Amino acid sequence: MTVRVVVGAQFGDEAKGKITDYLAANARYVVRSAGGPNTGHTVHTPEGTVILHQLSCGVLRPHTVGVSGPGMVLQPMKLEDEMHDLEKRGLLRGEVVISDRAHAILPIHEIEDAWEDDLRGKKDPHASLGTTRRGVGPAYADRAGRWGIRMSDLTRPAILRDRLELLYATKTHIPGLPPREELTGQLAEVGSRLAPLIRPTEPIVWDAIARGDNVLLEGAQSALLDVDFGTYPYVTSSHPTSAGALVGSGIPPTEVDEVIGVSKAYTTRVGAGPFPTEDTGEAGEYLRRVGGERGATTGRERRCGWLDLSLLRYVARLNGLTSLAISKVDVLGGLDEVPVCVQYVMPDGSTVRDLLPSQADDLARAQPVYERLPGWPEFHERLKERIRREGARALPTELRRYLGRIASETGVAVEYVGYGPGRDETVRLDIGPNRPSAQGLPAWSG
Ligand code: IMP
Ligand code: MG
């Protein structure tokens, strides 16, 4: 029995969907615990590509239960659409369970999200966050303010009516809201259709753990977008850390066995906020093109740059990572050298190696110090074929050194490597501190 937490170790879009889907093959329950329709988890199944927003990867595999957990904010109409789309394609194979405690995102939250971000931008163009405009921030704000509507409220028409009346009273300053009566009716209808899926999910997961089932917590967004520990205010409104995964699912910390941080071999960010290793020149353009770096939810172009070991060390400490999954190593294939940021020099001359300053502006002015590591060959089909056949020992030597360097710099073993989008393009290895070097791999070294 294993309880594993998968967390994003950068600014999002690290291929968490892919690694969660890979690990879900051995899981009985896959639980999402934060975020909502701002998420886009891309999974390449043999039957086609799926982008999951509010459902967990668990719904894609038979014999797996996909839980949309208590810490999530769910847009009920879009949730229905997502299920129908998967059903139509024959890909809804697992069971879907929706937490009765999860909060509902209403169309009024979506309008509010856009209105708020426009307001920030009007005051100061740099203040706009570039949210996904999916209503996530306002729904979490109403949760904390105790105005929120929960998924179980949708199944109780009288309660829903009263709660909605109260909520509308707080939003009179927001233009263009739909008439309340109309929305009440619409939500009650969706609620009655979703009712069979809306249940208390904590006891389901507790019982699973007690039985010895494998439970996977699927992180959304990422540690650097955490509302407290990320680059505030350029963050999302939830806790996408390992601690947040527990709060958002009702699983006690004492049950967790592994925390897997997912990082690309380089870095991307979508939306505003500091990004010290961003490359706004040719290299960034190269990464965007070769890596196909476009947002899965909003279609926005992602900002691109090199791997930031300073931030990765911070994330390792913050989340208690027990291993790393490094994705998209194929994108860097064919480069002569790969720069990695090993620390920053701050405007006052001090150095930073494993901290995130509380002021976003300080991080924006940090000067990254790079080392250039030798690059590895392109990932041709023949190389991929060899890796599929022989496993990690077929990875190019320079790449293994790169991974070894990540492990030694962060103190966390690299256990999974993604070398392509496909379901079978993940290889398991074991490079890192205190790990026996598996499959004849060289021990980690600089
Ligand atoms: P929100 O979560 O929609 O409020 O957006 C807040 C910030 O987090 C924006 O910069 C978004 O681009 C970013 N963000 C939210 N969800 C994701 C995600 O799943 N991947 C990457 N960035 C995200
Ligand atoms: Mg994404």
Side-chain angles (χ1 to χ4, degrees):
M1 182 278 283
T2 313
V3 177
R4 285 192 173 121
V5 186
V6 173
V7 294
Q10 300 175 302
F11 297 103
D13 308 315
E14 301 91 350
K16 287 181 294 295
K18 191 191 140 170
I19 187 78
T20 309
D21 171 64
Y22 172 85
L23 296 170
N26 293 316
R28 181 85 176 90
Y29 291 82
V30 185
V31 187
R32 284 266 323 259
S33 44
N38 51 350
T39 311
H41 286 177
T42 308
V43 180
H44 295 269
T45 75
E47 296 85 9
T49 301
V50 178
I51 302 178
L52 295 160
H53 299 288
Q54 308 194 73
L55 295 168
S56 91
C57 292
V59 307
L60 298 177
R61 294 183 186 264
H63 317 301
T64 307
V65 183
V67 180
S68 295
M72 290 189 75
V73 283
L74 299 166
Q75 212 283 16
M77 295 77 150
K78 289 186 178 160
L79 182 64
E80 260 196 324
D81 289 346
E82 191 172 335
M83 283 175 13
H84 287 156
D85 284 350
L86 285 179
E87 226 163 16
K88 260 195 290 188
R89 297 172 64 189
L91 293 170
L92 193 64
R93 302 203 172 109
E95 190 185 334
V96 177
V97 184
I98 306 203
S99 168
D100 53 353
R101 295 181 197 273
H103 276 247
I105 296 181
L106 310 181
I108 55 180
H109 291 123
E110 296 166 335
I111 295 167
E112 193 176 2
D113 195 357
W115 179 81
E116 281 182 349
D117 219 30
D118 287 345
L119 180 70
R120 287 188 192 100
K122 266 184 226 145
K123 298 250 178 231
D124 166 7
H126 297 294
S128 138
L129 307 179
T131 73
T132 61
R133 302 193 166 215
R134 298 297 190 271
V136 170
Y140 275 122
D142 281 335
R143 180 180 82 164
R146 277 90 24 106
W147 302 107
I149 298 203
R150 305 212 281 187
M151 294 305 282
S152 60
D153 296 335
L154 302 183
T155 66
R156 310 280 186 96
I159 293 173
L160 175 64
R161 179 166 300 276
D162 291 349
R163 299 285 306 165
L164 212 52
E165 192 176 342
L166 205 55
L167 184 64
Y168 260 74
T170 70
K171 312 263 184 218
T172 50
H173 58 293
I174 298 164
L177 300 190
R180 178 162 57 85
E181 283 304 319
E182 193 184 303
L183 183 59
T184 311
Q186 207 183 352
L187 288 171
E189 274 175 34
V190 182
S192 72
R193 288 195 297 269
L194 288 176
L197 308 179
I198 300 176
R199 290 155 63 186
T201 59
E202 311 80 74
I204 298 178
V205 179
W206 295 334
D207 290 348
I209 294 172
R211 275 197 307 272
D213 288 339
N214 287 335
V215 175
L216 188 59
L217 299 189
E218 173 181 356
Q221 286 74 49
S222 285
L224 299 172
L225 295 177
D226 183 277
V227 66
D228 285 322
F229 298 104
T231 53
Y232 192 89
Y234 304 97
V235 292
T236 191
S237 298
S238 65
H239 292 292
T241 51
S242 54
L246 303 181
V247 176
S249 57
I251 298 177
T254 41
E255 297 290 359
V256 173
D257 301 291
E258 292 178 21
V259 182
I260 301 162
V262 190
S263 169
K264 276 179 191 155
Y266 50 99
T267 308
T268 64
R269 176 167 200 162
V270 59
F275 177 0
T277 61
E278 180 173 17
D279 188 306
T280 52
E282 266 173 41
E285 190 48 49
Y286 178 86
L287 294 172
R288 189 155 39 246
R289 182 165 50 79
V290 180
E293 296 297 350
R294 194 171 275 283
T297 294
T298 57
R300 291 180 290 178
E301 281 198 343
R302 294 177 184 147
R303 302 153 65 192
C304 298
W306 304 111
L307 185 64
D308 187 333
L309 289 172
S310 185
L311 287 180
L312 202 53
R313 289 186 202 103
Y314 168 72
V315 166
R317 296 211 286 177
L318 180 65
N319 292 280
L321 299 186
T322 58
S323 65
L324 279 164
I326 305 293
S327 65
K328 298 186 99 162
V329 299
D330 53 315
V331 173
L332 301 183
L335 298 178
D336 290 340
E337 288 181 326
V338 182
V340 292
C341 165
V342 289
Q343 62 179 32
Y344 308 131
V345 178
M346 305 306 285
D348 66 0
S350 63
T351 55
V352 166
R353 284 178 51 79
D354 54 9
L355 295 173
L356 184 90
S358 66
Q359 287 294 326
D361 196 47
D362 290 350
L363 186 64
R365 289 187 302 142
Q367 281 303 321
V369 177
Y370 289 103
E371 265 184 45
R372 310 181 83 81
L373 304 181
W376 48 92
E378 266 180 62
F379 269 69
H380 292 304
E381 203 38 54
R382 248 196 19 234
L383 173 57
K384 289 188 171 188
E385 194 45 56
R386 261 192 66 206
I387 300 170
R388 275 192 281 270
R389 226 177 28 239
E390 297 171 25
R393 70 165 66 95
L395 292 175
T397 311
E398 298 86 352
L399 172 57
R400 284 188 291 176
R401 286 219 187 91
Y402 188 80
L403 301 171
R405 187 64 189 271
I406 295 172
S408 64
E409 291 280 343
T410 56
V412 182
V414 176
E415 201 172 345
Y416 308 91
V417 172
Y419 58 95
R423 223 177 205 175
D424 59 347
E425 290 174 325
T426 298
V427 65
R428 183 111 195 244
L429 72 171
D430 207 345
I431 301 183
N434 311 320
R435 298 278 181 131
S437 114
Q439 303 172 351
L441 290 168
W444 58 281
S445 67

